[in-house]
Amino acid sequence: MSYSVTLKNIFEDADLDEVTYSVSIDGADPLEANGLYYSYAPEEAGEHTLVFKATDSNGAVSEPYTVTVGAYELSTIDTAGTKMDHWNPD
């Protein structure tokens, strides 16, 4: 499963300067978030925190915008020969 954020709807530059975006995932060093949209597909189950910032062409940096997502493993249960998929939050 992946999650998407529309960065252009979150950040706005009053002077209409060019804006670049960055994201820090689970406290890691920030990465460039290319474009106006950002998609994230967790590689591990659990809760993940994404912190976005925008920087305009004059070096002004926005306040952080934080998103927390939960990713869960999909398990299969065999009940009397019938397989059923369900979310396993643990």
Side-chain angles (χ1 to χ4, degrees), residues 22-32 40 49-53:
S22 64
V23 60
S24 172
I25 302 170
D26 294 330
D29 289 337
L31 304 171
E32 187 175 333
Y40 174 68
T49 302
L50 289 74
V51 179
F52 295 90
K53 289 184 181 179

Side-chain angles (χ1 to χ4, degrees), residues 36-71:
L36 301 177
Y37 307 96
Y38 183 79
S39 293
Y40 174 68
E43 294 179 8
E44 297 178 6
E47 192 171 275
H48 302 277
T49 302
L50 289 74
V51 179
F52 295 90
K53 289 184 181 179
T55 305
D56 73 10
S57 57
N58 292 315
V61 180
S62 70
E63 292 293 319
Y65 181 83
T66 302
V67 176
T68 302
V69 298

Side-chain angles (χ1 to χ4, degrees), residues 4-15:
S4 296
V5 176
T6 306
L7 298 172
K8 69 177 185 173
N9 291 343
I10 298 168
F11 299 104
E12 181 179 314
D13 187 81
D15 302 325

